Amino acid sequence: MDIEYVRSRFTKHFDGTTGFVYASPGRINLIGEHTDYNGGFVFPGAIDKGMIAEIKPNGTKKVLAYSIDLKDYVEFGLNEEDAPHASWARYIFGVCREMIKRGVKVEGFNTAFAGDVPLGAGMSSSAALESTYAFALNELFNGNIDKFELAKVGQATEHNYCGVNCGIMDQFASVFGKAGSLIRLDCRSLEYQYFPFKPEGYRLVLLDSVVKHELASSAYNKRRQSCETAVAAIKKNHPTVEFLRDATMDMLKAVKDEITAEDYMRSEYVIEEIQRVLDVCDALEVGDYETVGQKMYETHHGMSKLYEVSCEELDFLNDCAKECGVTGSRVMGGGFGGCTINLVKDELYDNFIATAEKAFTEKFGRSPKVYDVVIGDGSRRIL
Ligand code: GLA
């Protein structure tokens, strides 16, 4: 990401001035999808792509914001009724509001930002944007808010200003990321552990189907609703069950007739997926990448057939991976488009990429994008 580029745009738009520059990354997730809002485990890592923003308090009550990539400029006030219409600006506005709700004395500022994490590709560009501003405003307006609460500011922004009832994974990974490490987070207790991730002889690569996902398009919220319905049914027999994390397959089977077949399928996937994260952690500790990969394929199957958040293009990429002997492959993130994440042996890498590109282009008339995963640091000030 190019700091000088952001600075040159900021200086141009704001009369030759300069501010402070902050960055936050997007994320990958090795395994544990749609488990976060079910109190389960996730296993993400920050990446070397994200958002950069230059920010300078302007002594007014207004935010003057410029999106460098979209070449769009928006001004807004800091009261609830001042919400801007542009969706990109709502993220910044939401973060300001959530910081204010937590007692931070946010004042007006000038800002310009740009990013190199692809939008709508399941790599959490929106969390990168939220974390950048949450981290920055906390420093610039002496907020004293801890890192977990900064992640929650981003999550609450999604809930209250963007219409997505997301879990905590993306914002957590963006704020807490550490170069070279994945992080296992228990989304119920919020305990986490860094796992250095250097798979000898393997690479992680993303293949972007370039199908834009529309997380906000109620499908995501509907999945969450299904899980909550199943929990409510289970709770009648087991009052201590708060999340699907607390439930077993036997508990779910016992309420099969009380919930819809769809809610049952969704919950089955989640219960199995939570266990898969733990299995992958165990396998990683003994360097057993074959098991890691096998679990990734199982996740893909569950996301495609039970949770139904895959699509033709992603299933196709997953099949290509299987045919090329790739160790593990699955749709990553919320789904409905975006990327597959692939664990590939070094010696198979070139053939896999060439084969997948050719086959995908023949079938869909366009090439998938390829991103080699580099695990980077979380939110920080860079200038
Ligand atoms: C999106 C959400 C996350 C998580 C994933 C699926 O990225 O923002 O909270 O639920 O989908 O694992």
Side-chain angles (χ1 to χ4, degrees):
M1 261 195 303
D2 194 343
I3 304 171
E4 289 314 316
Y5 177 60
V6 173
R7 166 134 296 176
S8 72
R9 298 296 92 187
F10 183 93
T11 309
K12 179 163 179 279
H13 278 271
F14 298 110
D15 304 323
T17 58
T18 57
F20 300 98
V21 184
Y22 292 87
S24 291
R27 61 108 188 87
I28 55 138
N29 185 26
L30 187 64
I31 198 153
E33 252 19 299
H34 293 276
T35 48
D36 56 357
Y37 53 83
N38 285 300
F41 298 94
V42 291
F43 206 1
I47 51 175
D48 63 338
K49 299 182 189 351
M51 294 286 173
I52 293 188
E54 182 147 2
I55 306 177
K56 185 179 170 65
N58 60 21
T60 74
K61 300 276 180 210
K62 281 222 147 144
V63 175
L64 316 184
Y66 182 60
S67 163
I68 299 169
D69 298 328
L70 300 173
K71 297 190 173 44
D72 195 14
Y73 175 79
V74 170
E75 286 185 22
F76 55 83
L78 291 163
N79 298 314
E80 202 60 34
E81 62 273 18
D82 297 328
H85 293 297
S87 57
W88 63 267
R90 290 183 77 85
Y91 290 111
I92 304 175
F93 174 78
V95 169
C96 293
R97 288 297 310 158
E98 291 298 332
M99 297 295 280
I100 291 169
K101 288 178 200 169
R102 287 162 178 76
V104 183
K105 296 196 167 36
V106 177
E107 304 268 337
F109 54 89
N110 300 343
T111 184
F113 73 95
D116 60 359
V117 54
L119 305 181
M123 291 151 81
S124 298
S125 50
S126 56
L129 189 59
E130 291 148 5
S131 305
T132 300
Y133 282 93
F135 190 89
L137 299 184
N138 191 41
E139 269 201 16
L140 294 170
F141 298 105
N142 304 316
N144 230 347
I145 288 187
D146 70 38
K147 279 167 82 178
F148 250 116
E149 200 59 30
L150 292 180
K152 287 183 186 166
V153 162
Q155 184 192 22
T157 297
E158 297 279 352
H159 290 190
N160 300 329
Y161 299 93
C162 309
V164 184
N165 290 328
C166 66
I168 192 70
M169 169 169 75
D170 305 351
Q171 293 78 10
F172 167 81
S174 184
V175 172
F176 283 80
K178 182 161 134 186
S181 286
L182 298 179
I183 326 170
R184 186 180 75 188
L185 172 68
D186 177 332
C187 299
R188 191 176 57 188
S189 68
L190 298 184
E191 277 165 342
Y192 61 96
Q193 194 184 346
Y194 289 98
F195 278 72
F197 187 72
K198 290 187 192 66
E200 280 300 308
Y202 293 84
R203 289 163 76 163
L204 272 184
V205 59
L206 307 182
L207 288 190
D208 184 355
S209 65
V210 205
V211 176
K212 294 277 173 233
H213 68 181
E214 265 304 327
L215 271 188
S217 71
S218 69
Y220 180 94
N221 295 346
K222 213 172 150 216
R223 298 299 182 286
R224 185 168 184 162
Q225 192 63 54
S226 283
C227 299
E228 286 167 5
T229 305
V231 167
I234 294 170
K235 215 179 164 68
K236 286 188 210 148
N237 307 330
H238 304 275
T240 56
V241 170
E242 259 189 77
F243 299 104
L244 279 179
R245 156 76 180 281
D246 310 316
T248 61
M249 273 310 292
D250 284 340
M251 292 180 192
L252 180 65
K253 281 179 194 152
V255 297
K256 193 164 187 175
D257 296 337
E258 293 168 44
I259 59 178
T260 64
E262 194 174 278
D263 292 349
Y264 184 88
M265 266 159 56
R266 308 291 190 246
S267 307
E268 182 182 356
Y269 160 77
V270 169
I271 292 172
E272 289 171 357
E273 179 71 354
I274 290 171
Q275 183 57 43
R276 278 192 286 267
V277 184
L278 298 175
D279 294 345
V280 160
C281 289
D282 289 346
L284 277 181
E285 272 173 6
V286 294
D288 176 4
Y289 293 104
E290 289 307 313
T291 299
V292 174
Q294 185 198 323
K295 296 289 160 192
M296 291 169 76
Y297 279 115
E298 286 174 17
T299 295
H300 185 87
H301 186 264
M303 285 179 85
S304 179
K305 303 288 183 268
L306 297 176
Y307 222 62
E308 296 182 304
V309 294
S310 185
C311 61
E312 199 192 345
E313 290 84 348
L314 291 166
D315 287 345
F316 186 85
L317 288 172
N318 187 258
D319 287 341
C320 277
K322 233 177 262 165
E323 280 156 25
C324 290
V326 168
T327 306
S329 174
R330 65 177 194 81
V331 43
M332 187 183 76
F336 315 109
C339 297
T340 58
I341 178 167
N342 304 275
L343 180 67
V344 196
K345 283 202 174 114
D346 285 339
E347 63 270 24
L348 296 181
Y349 179 88
D350 289 342
N351 177 59
F352 168 50
I353 299 298
T355 308
E357 280 181 331
K358 183 165 179 287
F360 191 92
T361 308
E362 273 168 21
K363 174 125 175 105
F364 299 106
R366 60 170 197 283
S367 184
K369 292 194 178 144
V370 180
Y371 304 108
D372 283 309
V373 173
V374 177
I375 304 186
D377 283 318
S379 303
R380 61 209 182 271
R381 186 175 137 199
I382 50 178
L383 209 63

